[in-house]
Amino acid sequence: MAAFVFLVYGALTGDNPFLNLVLVIAIYAVVGPFLYLISAHALHVRSNSVRHGTVSLGYPIRRASGGRKRTFHVSELVDAKPEIGRGGYIGATFLLSDGTRFFIEQSAFEGRGLEIMNKLCRLVGKSYESEVKAILVQGRRYRFHIARLRGVRNHRLVFAQRIRTETGNAIRELAPDDVQSWETVSTPYAGPTYLVTMMDGTWFLITEAEAKSVGFPDLPGWAGKGLDKDSGKPMSLHSSEA
């Protein structure tokens, strides 16, 4: 290391072409492997997407035949099991017609995970959202995150701590426009609560006591986001149909 520093110093303070050449070679020898690893990683990492019925994954799945593929067609789906995977990741285990079985995380689809997982599971007669919610409401092993409220600012909920979202962002405030719905649920670990579903599929709970302390859900812009407990439809839509 001392010799390397000496070479750098000599190249920067002198006009010795030999030292300059040695410095370039030394830097390449040190930095080159890292650049190779970064470029190789960039080539292998691909985003997860669904186009024209083909699901593309950022990683290969081992087929029952022994090969590996990054894609499958929705017509191959024969079963799905919404569940909480290893490490507490929300998602579903899918079964293909050739016997291939694999797990996909909801967060793999960059903010569209809830929408896509709902559609994939619906193809085989499973209700992804309701089954995952039931697991997390029961809270036997995994639970919904409970967000603590600090107050309200311009109709936006302000949290005591940041909330990590499905898109990877950490938010401290939440506007009604960023919320898909809220509904009342009762959990054995938090009692009566409001379950909030954000547009990107992020879920969290607000205790009934804290919600009432800030006027939720009667705040402007929030009331119309509520789901009817019996029908599961937006309260405004349910009321108009009645």
Side-chain angles (χ1 to χ4, degrees):
M1 178 61 71
F4 181 75
V5 172
F6 173 76
L7 290 175
V8 173
Y9 177 79
L12 293 176
T13 58
D15 297 324
N16 191 325
F18 175 74
L19 286 179
N20 290 337
L21 177 61
V22 172
L23 176 61
V24 171
I25 295 174
I27 292 176
Y28 181 79
V30 174
V31 179
F34 292 100
L35 294 177
Y36 172 78
L37 290 175
I38 292 173
S39 61
H41 178 73
L43 289 173
H44 285 86
V45 173
R46 305 177 185 180
S47 60
N48 302 280
S49 62
V50 181
R51 296 189 64 184
H52 307 298
T54 297
V55 181
S56 300
L57 302 175
Y59 51 87
I61 56 175
R62 182 179 292 278
R63 290 282 187 155
S65 60
R68 290 178 176 271
K69 290 187 66 176
R70 293 179 182 269
T71 63
F72 67 91
H73 196 270
V74 294
S75 61
E76 298 180 79
L77 289 171
V78 295
D79 196 14
K81 181 183 179 183
E83 59 184 344
I84 314 300
R86 293 180 180 178
Y89 293 104
I90 301 173
T93 296
F94 293 96
L95 177 64
L96 303 184
S97 55
D98 66 353
T100 300
R101 192 182 302 271
F102 56 95
F103 181 81
I104 300 180
E105 299 173 21
Q106 175 180 311
S107 59
F109 294 99
E110 300 179 354
R112 294 188 60 212
L114 181 57
E115 171 195 352
I116 292 174
M117 298 297 275
N118 274 330
K119 289 181 178 179
L120 292 178
C121 289
R122 197 177 298 125
L123 291 173
V124 291
K126 296 295 180 66
S127 176
Y128 172 78
E129 186 168 350
S130 62
E131 291 190 35
V132 170
K133 282 181 178 179
I135 295 172
L136 296 174
V137 165
Q138 292 170 3
R140 293 174 182 172
R141 184 174 181 183
Y142 298 104
R143 303 175 176 181
F144 281 116
H145 171 70
I146 302 174
R148 301 298 180 185
L149 291 177
R150 172 169 289 181
V152 176
R153 182 185 296 117
N154 297 326
H155 312 316
R156 301 164 66 96
L157 297 181
V158 181
F159 304 105
Q161 295 180 332
R162 295 183 183 276
I163 296 177
R164 180 68 61 179
T165 69
E166 286 288 306
T167 53
N169 299 322
I171 62 171
R172 197 65 176 268
E173 297 185 7
L174 182 63
D177 289 342
D178 296 323
V179 171
Q180 178 178 312
S181 65
W182 59 261
E183 58 192 291
T184 57
V185 297
S186 183
T187 69
Y189 53 90
T193 60
Y194 292 95
L195 171 58
V196 178
T197 303
M198 292 178 54
M199 288 295 188
D200 67 358
T202 302
W203 284 313
F204 62 87
L205 298 178
I206 302 174
T207 64
E208 185 179 84
E210 287 197 4
K212 288 183 176 180
S213 70
V214 299
F216 181 89
D218 298 323
L219 298 168
W222 288 93
K225 300 284 184 175
L227 296 181
D228 181 77
K229 190 172 184 179
D230 296 323
S231 67
K233 297 179 180 180
M235 289 184 179
S236 56
L237 177 61
H238 181 73
S239 299
S240 63
E241 289 180 345

